[in-house]
Amino acid sequence: MLASHLTTTQPKRWKRIGFGVFAVLFALFGFFFLQGATEALEPWVPSDCGGCDNETFVPDSYRWLAASHGALLAFLFGGCLIALLRKPYEKPMLLHVYAVGHLAFLAVLAITSPRMALQKAFVFVMFLLVLAILFAFYHRRSSAIKLEPADGYVRSLLVMSAVAALVLIPVAIHAGMQQMAETAEQFRWGEEAAMLLALLYAGFLASSRRAGSFALGAIVSVTYVYLGAAALAVPNHPGSWGIAGGIASIVFGLAFASLVLFHHRSR
């Protein structure tokens, strides 16, 4: 059973407090300093600079890619940190996903834009520092680094995750190729590729019978619904999944959520 995997030792008080404080700080950092929450609104509320020469912080052509930025930072990363605020040491899988998502971002950056990666070496330092701090305060570091074997998988969720991978892996590859051809000093396309890889990995883990699978399944479901709504808002922008893709993503997210809830209640 899931409960059998939970350690009986209790973390020290300073670790419990420290982890919670840094989880909140890093979530807020992603929401606002890294503009995860603000860019998540780009499909509906284009950013501007108070009417100065009709310029925008995010070019109009990047509004869908800004939604990908919001999906990664606000929904996936922020969602994992928020879910970890309650009984964090019982859900090492969420910290695992958070870490893998950051490493995927850095790997895609290094592969698709090596020159930019050198110029923005501070991003590597910043992300690795964030992970180092969280793992330093996490009581079950080894369980978050290497997940314990699952008690099984929910077949319906596993099938849905496989279908999503068949559809989205080519999209991620295309985004990576677009990033390689990018002439502007932007990592928008590469970030979309990293977001899709993190989302697919999170969906696969959410289909397992591990502690934290319900919270992770909820995060994955909401992310798909959000991306579908964003696609409907900017159907003709570069990279957008369009009307059909937006509707499909919303239906997929709602179906995934329904199955997650059903299997959670049936345990």
Side-chain angles (χ1 to χ4, degrees):
M1 300 299 291
L2 294 176
S4 65
H5 296 310
L6 301 179
T7 182
T8 57
T9 60
Q10 294 299 315
K12 295 181 180 179
R13 187 168 181 267
W14 66 269
K15 280 192 172 184
R16 295 198 306 270
I17 296 174
F19 184 83
V21 168
F22 280 109
V24 171
L25 288 177
F26 292 150
L28 294 175
F29 183 79
F31 288 159
F32 301 108
F33 184 79
L34 297 181
Q35 300 180 318
T38 53
E39 291 205 7
L41 298 175
E42 280 292 330
W44 301 274
V45 187
S47 60
D48 58 51
C49 54
C52 52
D53 299 326
N54 295 320
E55 294 179 355
T56 61
F57 289 125
V58 177
D60 182 73
S61 61
Y62 286 154
R63 286 172 64 194
W64 161 258
L65 299 176
S68 296
H69 178 80
L72 182 63
L73 269 68
F75 287 86
L76 288 175
F77 291 169
C80 284
L81 290 179
I82 291 172
L84 281 167
L85 292 178
R86 183 176 182 272
K87 299 181 179 180
Y89 305 114
E90 296 183 6
K91 297 172 284 191
M93 183 167 62
L94 294 176
L95 183 57
H96 175 84
V97 169
Y98 182 84
V100 169
H102 279 74
L103 295 178
F105 179 97
L106 296 177
V108 174
L109 174 59
I111 293 171
T112 62
S113 300
R115 181 179 176 182
M116 186 184 299
L118 291 175
Q119 294 173 343
K120 298 185 180 296
F122 71 91
V123 174
F124 287 78
V125 175
M126 179 179 65
F127 279 10
L128 294 177
L129 180 61
V130 166
L131 295 179
I133 291 173
L134 288 175
F135 274 88
F137 283 93
Y138 198 72
H139 184 56
R140 303 182 63 204
R141 286 188 291 272
S142 60
S143 296
I145 294 172
K146 183 179 180 180
L147 296 177
E148 296 174 348
D151 286 339
Y153 289 84
V154 178
R155 290 185 180 181
S156 55
L157 292 176
L158 199 57
V159 169
M160 290 189 70
S161 298
V163 171
L166 289 175
V167 174
L168 294 180
I169 286 178
V171 177
I173 294 173
H174 171 74
M177 294 175 65
Q178 287 290 105
Q179 183 61 48
M180 291 180 181
E182 180 68 81
T183 56
E185 290 297 317
Q186 297 276 355
F187 186 59
R188 297 290 183 174
W189 288 101
E191 185 176 40
E192 180 181 31
M195 181 273 293
L196 291 174
L197 294 177
L199 179 60
L200 289 171
Y201 185 61
F204 170 74
L205 290 182
S207 67
S208 67
R209 298 184 185 277
R210 290 188 178 94
S213 59
F214 175 69
L216 186 57
I219 292 169
V220 169
S221 301
V222 171
T223 303
Y224 275 113
V225 171
Y226 163 75
L227 288 170
L232 294 179
V234 286
N236 300 315
H237 283 62
S240 174
W241 297 346
I243 299 295
I247 294 174
S249 185
I250 292 174
V251 172
F252 183 93
L254 293 176
F256 200 91
S258 299
L259 288 172
V260 167
L261 183 60
F262 173 77
H263 287 286
H264 177 71
R265 289 181 172 178
S266 63
R267 289 181 185 177

